[in-house]
Amino acid sequence: MERASAEALEAEPDGFFDILEERRQGSDISHALRTFNPQPYRGAAPTSASALNRMVLESQHLSYIIQEITLESDEPREVLLKEASAILDEMSQNLQLGFIRLLGFILSKVFKSVFRSIHVNEDGLTQLRQAIQEYPVILMPNHRSYVDFLVLSYIMFTYDLSIPVIAAGIPLMGMKLIGEILRRAGAFFIRRAVRSDKLYWAVLSEYVRTIVRTGFAPVEFYVEGWRSRTQKSLIPKLGMMEMVLEPFFKGEVFDISLVPISISYDRVLEESILAKELLGFPKPKETTWGLLKAWTVLKEDYGCMHVCFGNPVSVRDLVKGKMNCKQYNLVPRDLPMKANKQTQEFVSGLAHVIVRLQERNVVLSPWNLIAVILLQNLQGIDLDQLTHKTLWLRRLALQFGAHLNWPKHISDSEVMSSNLTLHHSVAHCDKGHIHLAEEAGPVPVSQEEGVFRRATAVLMCASYRNQAVHVFTRPAMVAVTLTKAASNRTDDIFRHFNLLLELFSNEFVFIPGQVFQDFEEGCSLLQQSGVIGRSDQEVFVRDEGQETIVFLRAILQPFIESYQVVFRFLCEESLQTFTEKNFLHSVRRFIMKLIISGEVHSYECLSSDVQKNVLSTLFRMDALTKTKVDGQTEFSVNKSAVTRIRDLLSK
């Protein structure tokens, strides 16, 4: 591996500035109480939260749905209207500037204590300011930490931008005092799994559409649906996406601007909790007391945060040639209309595009690269060798288009040292030898307890690798296919690449219908980096690229092994029908035995998220079926189909 020259590695992203710098020099109370003068959407008339609720309850859309439910269930209209009003009272935000000021003051104190800096891209803020004045704006951040929820409103308040209303999970509403503060800071609360509740869905969808249609405020929601416990991008959920786009489809607004936002952390506050959740430990209940008990966490150093506001995406521009909106002219705007296949495909494709834009704009830290190296050296690695490999990987990541926050004005050894210090909970340095840090506890421990402790350390480290995995996914898939395909012929390699993409379409984010573009991206990046050569009909690995191919294959190996071991479990175990809960418990015990026996080497196989992704993949590939039994989803496995898929992956 060659050391990259300093001139070639000017990796600090341009155009970012630290919003905490001014806060450290000024008065937090003056900042909170200063004049706040945002420029709203020019088509919006001033509307109160209560007036917004009245519009929803008096809408023809909701009236039509209530009439349908009345005919279906014989429930009196008055009872249903009262129920709809109660749903809206539970759900709706009550945005008040006074509470934004209160949060502004509190968050200035907290952020200065927890983070060294919060970097925001100036161009992104300028474009966002313009977009808010022209069309309804939808803010679409990735979701990696509970801090995401707070930091965007803080930035918007700091720079006189309209405060967004934010889709939040219902558990946050139940936090005493905190829930009400969040409601008055713009949060509206949504229950989980509500699509089957016709009245609730109607109230929610009409509420969201009314906010967008009137330009009441920018709408903020997580297209991934929830916080990523693995820190890897999640496959987008489409419910909210459909709701925010419908006013455009129906011609109620001229255009909608979607703003992808990429939030990244040097160190994630919930790193240990998230790893344990993946191993089956119950998620801590979201309570005010729990928040207060976690206050000690805020005494730690969490390094820097980067928030990148992407270029606003015009729905009007994207829809051209992909979808015919004239179908919506055939039905009165106030009446519900089920999206046809073309609309569903457009919404799904657009949601995937947004997640890919989030990935492309994310700013990585040196630790993300260090974590990649550590996970390929679980036995430990000397600091000098770790530094050497990380600098090599820095060069490769930049060649692959990564945005990297590598400090310019300190030595590489200082960068490594400071990152190891910051992440003392993940890795230790013992006499120049680096190894993963396992949680202390009583000794001796059982074999199972030892595996869980080791797995927790591995999954914590993997969460930081996962923040960078999108940079390497496509080249790594090509690297795997180059050793698995029947020949070096491009069509053979593409065929195997297509299989990998189909298998991992629940693991990584791929825009539907763009498998050829993904293959070309992977090949082009490898070719530009001097790893492979290409002719009209063949792809071959250059001698100097062999080491890179091995390295890239190792990045995907934990995912490949996880899928293989779950396939093996489903083929070998006697269970034919199971619930997800029973599956997770049984497969965890199965994998635990294989790790203890030495048959399985990757501790990442124990991650419940990967195991669930395998189920989703098999269902999509018709190797599993789902049925509802007593309100629970049961899976039935087609062992011969799973065996066929396992054999294809093993080739």
Side-chain angles (χ1 to χ4, degrees):
M1 296 182 184
E2 297 179 0
R3 179 181 290 271
S5 66
E7 293 80 3
L9 295 169
E10 291 298 313
E12 177 73 31
D14 293 328
F16 282 79
F17 62 96
D18 178 14
I19 67 170
L20 292 185
E21 185 176 350
E22 184 179 343
R23 295 278 45 78
R24 296 189 194 282
Q25 298 171 0
S27 163
D28 292 333
I29 191 67
S30 296
H31 171 256
L33 296 178
R34 80 194 197 287
T35 301
F36 178 64
N37 187 31
Q39 297 298 311
Y41 169 45
R42 63 189 178 197
T47 306
S48 66
S50 58
L52 192 73
N53 289 1
R54 282 196 303 274
M55 291 182 200
V56 175
L57 292 174
E58 295 170 2
S59 69
Q60 289 297 313
H61 174 85
L62 186 57
S63 178
Y64 183 88
I65 296 295
I66 288 176
Q67 182 64 27
E68 277 191 341
I69 298 173
T70 298
L71 294 173
E72 293 166 1
S73 66
D74 292 329
E75 195 82 27
R77 179 180 178 82
E78 294 74 18
V79 172
L80 290 170
L81 193 57
K82 187 175 181 180
E83 186 180 342
S85 180
I87 290 171
L88 195 56
D89 286 343
E90 173 192 82
M91 177 191 302
S92 60
Q93 54 77 33
N94 186 18
L95 184 59
Q96 296 176 15
L97 182 57
F99 281 83
I100 294 296
R101 295 188 184 281
L102 173 63
L103 271 182
F105 175 74
I106 294 171
L107 292 178
S108 289
K109 300 291 186 187
V110 171
F111 288 159
K112 287 190 294 183
S113 171
V114 171
F115 297 109
R116 300 174 188 173
S117 58
I118 298 177
H119 295 280
V120 181
N121 60 324
E122 191 167 12
D123 285 350
L125 286 178
T126 301
Q127 291 186 74
L128 177 59
R129 187 184 306 278
Q130 183 67 31
I132 286 175
Q133 297 175 52
E134 293 179 347
Y135 305 111
V137 163
I138 313 299
L139 303 176
M140 303 180 70
N142 56 357
H143 196 11
R144 301 295 175 263
S145 167
Y146 283 130
V147 178
D148 305 339
F149 185 86
L150 303 169
V151 71
L152 290 186
S153 292
Y154 181 78
I155 292 170
M156 303 287 272
F157 174 67
T158 298
Y159 292 97
D160 278 0
L161 296 167
S162 297
I163 303 299
V165 294
I166 310 162
I170 202 75
L172 292 174
M173 187 194 77
M175 299 173 67
K176 292 180 181 178
L177 183 62
I178 300 298
E180 190 55 34
I181 290 175
L182 294 176
R183 186 189 298 276
R184 298 188 186 207
F188 63 97
F189 301 100
I190 304 174
R191 300 174 193 169
R192 294 286 187 199
V194 296
R195 197 180 275 270
S196 60
D197 186 332
K198 191 171 183 177
L199 183 60
Y200 190 95
W201 187 262
V203 174
L204 172 60
S205 57
E206 183 61 22
Y207 184 67
V208 172
R209 285 195 297 261
T210 302
I211 293 171
V212 175
R213 183 174 63 245
T214 60
F216 175 83
V219 176
E220 177 186 332
F221 76 95
Y222 303 110
V223 70
E224 296 168 293
W226 45 68
R227 184 179 49 158
S228 173
R229 296 186 299 182
T230 63
Q231 299 295 295
K232 181 164 54 66
S233 294
L234 303 178
I235 305 306
K237 306 295 183 291
L238 304 181
M240 278 289 293
M241 195 76 176
E242 292 170 359
M243 293 179 201
V244 299
L245 293 178
E246 192 165 2
F248 171 78
F249 294 155
K250 290 189 170 183
E252 295 172 305
V253 295
F254 182 79
D255 198 1
I256 292 175
S257 293
L258 308 179
V259 181
I261 303 172
S262 308
I263 305 175
S264 54
Y265 301 84
D266 280 0
R267 185 181 172 199
V268 178
L269 272 73
E270 306 97 321
E271 60 183 8
S272 174
I273 293 172
L274 294 176
K276 289 179 178 177
E277 285 180 25
L278 291 171
L279 292 171
F281 290 82
K283 178 182 177 181
K285 191 175 180 182
E286 290 149 340
T287 63
T288 303
W289 176 240
L291 179 65
L292 293 174
K293 285 197 298 183
W295 194 257
T296 54
V297 173
L298 302 183
K299 296 178 181 178
E300 291 266 353
D301 177 9
Y302 290 90
C304 305
M305 181 197 307
H306 280 80
V307 182
C308 180
F309 290 86
N311 297 333
V313 174
S314 164
V315 175
R316 190 174 190 84
D317 288 346
L318 280 181
V319 83
K320 291 175 183 175
K322 296 180 181 176
M323 177 183 158
N324 183 5
C325 293
K326 290 181 180 178
Q327 57 181 302
Y328 286 91
N329 297 335
L330 304 176
V331 178
R333 287 176 176 174
D334 291 326
L335 297 186
M337 181 176 174
K338 185 175 177 60
N340 62 20
K341 184 179 179 182
Q342 184 188 53
T343 302
Q344 292 171 355
E345 289 177 351
F346 174 77
V347 171
S348 174
L350 181 52
H352 283 77
V353 166
I354 294 297
V355 176
R356 288 290 291 137
L357 289 172
Q358 291 171 349
E359 289 182 337
R360 285 172 180 158
N361 290 334
V362 77
V363 177
L364 304 178
S365 73
W367 183 253
N368 299 130
L369 305 184
I370 294 170
V372 177
I373 304 296
L374 289 175
L375 287 170
Q376 295 189 20
N377 295 271
L378 290 179
Q379 75 284 0
I381 183 172
D382 289 338
L383 178 57
D384 288 345
Q385 190 180 13
L386 177 62
T387 302
H388 182 69
K389 288 188 174 185
T390 301
L391 294 176
W392 171 83
L393 183 56
R394 174 177 66 162
R395 180 175 182 175
L396 185 66
L398 291 173
Q399 289 172 335
F400 285 178
H403 302 291
L404 185 59
N405 178 35
W406 191 285
K408 296 177 182 178
H409 305 300
I410 62 175
S411 68
D412 293 333
S413 61
E414 287 177 286
V415 171
M416 298 295 292
S417 175
S418 64
N419 273 272
L420 286 166
T421 300
L422 179 65
H423 293 279
H424 59 86
S425 57
V426 180
H428 284 167
C429 181
D430 182 17
K431 298 179 181 179
H433 193 71
I434 311 301
H435 57 87
L436 295 186
E438 294 184 27
E439 193 175 59
V443 291
V445 297
S446 66
Q447 287 181 309
E448 289 81 2
E449 178 61 29
V451 170
F452 269 118
R453 288 188 185 180
R454 184 64 167 166
T456 301
V458 169
L459 290 176
M460 282 174 64
C461 189
S463 71
Y464 290 99
R465 175 210 59 203
N466 286 343
Q467 294 175 34
V469 76
H470 63 275
V471 174
F472 306 103
T473 300
R474 287 152 184 80
M477 287 172 62
V478 173
V480 170
T481 62
L482 285 168
T483 56
K484 296 276 189 178
S487 72
N488 283 348
R489 288 179 59 84
T490 302
D491 53 356
D492 282 338
I493 293 169
F494 175 73
R495 194 159 35 246
H496 200 89
F497 181 94
N498 192 21
L499 169 65
L500 278 182
L501 186 142
E502 187 176 5
L503 279 172
F504 290 131
S505 285
N506 290 89
E507 201 65 54
F508 309 109
V509 176
F510 303 101
I511 299 171
Q514 293 197 8
V515 59
F516 181 75
Q517 291 91 325
D518 286 316
F519 178 69
E520 278 300 309
E521 179 183 330
C523 289
S524 295
L525 290 173
L526 290 173
Q527 188 173 14
Q528 292 163 16
S529 305
V531 177
I532 65 171
R534 303 171 75 184
S535 66
D536 290 342
Q537 296 183 334
E538 287 191 337
V539 180
F540 57 91
V541 181
R542 298 184 182 279
D543 290 343
E544 60 271 26
Q546 292 289 349
E547 191 173 7
T548 302
I549 291 293
V550 171
F551 174 83
L552 291 171
R553 285 171 50 203
I555 290 178
L556 284 189
Q557 187 55 35
F559 301 98
I560 293 172
E561 187 172 4
S562 295
Y563 276 57
Q564 287 173 328
V565 75
V566 176
F567 293 161
R568 176 179 169 182
F569 167 78
L570 291 171
C571 292
E572 292 182 4
E573 293 298 296
S574 59
L575 79 170
Q576 193 75 32
T577 303
F578 51 87
T579 64
E580 184 182 275
K581 183 177 180 181
N582 290 339
F583 163 76
L584 292 174
H585 177 70
S586 299
V587 77
R588 189 177 297 121
R589 285 189 306 171
F590 179 82
I591 294 171
M592 178 72 71
K593 290 177 183 177
L594 294 178
I595 290 176
I596 290 172
S597 70
E599 290 185 69
V600 168
H601 301 97
S602 175
Y603 290 86
E604 293 184 56
C605 296
L606 287 167
S607 166
S608 60
D609 275 26
V610 175
Q611 294 158 8
K612 291 176 187 177
N613 287 342
V614 177
L615 289 187
S616 297
T617 295
L618 292 175
F619 176 72
R620 178 170 42 79
M621 298 179 74
D622 298 323
L624 286 180
T625 56
K626 290 182 188 179
T627 53
K628 278 283 185 181
V629 179
D630 298 328
Q632 282 193 315
T633 299
E634 285 194 352
F635 295 89
S636 297
V637 59
N638 181 336
K639 290 181 182 288
S640 61
V642 175
T643 301
R644 178 181 56 81
I645 295 168
R646 181 187 65 179
D647 291 345
L648 287 171
L649 182 60
S650 299
K651 283 183 179 177

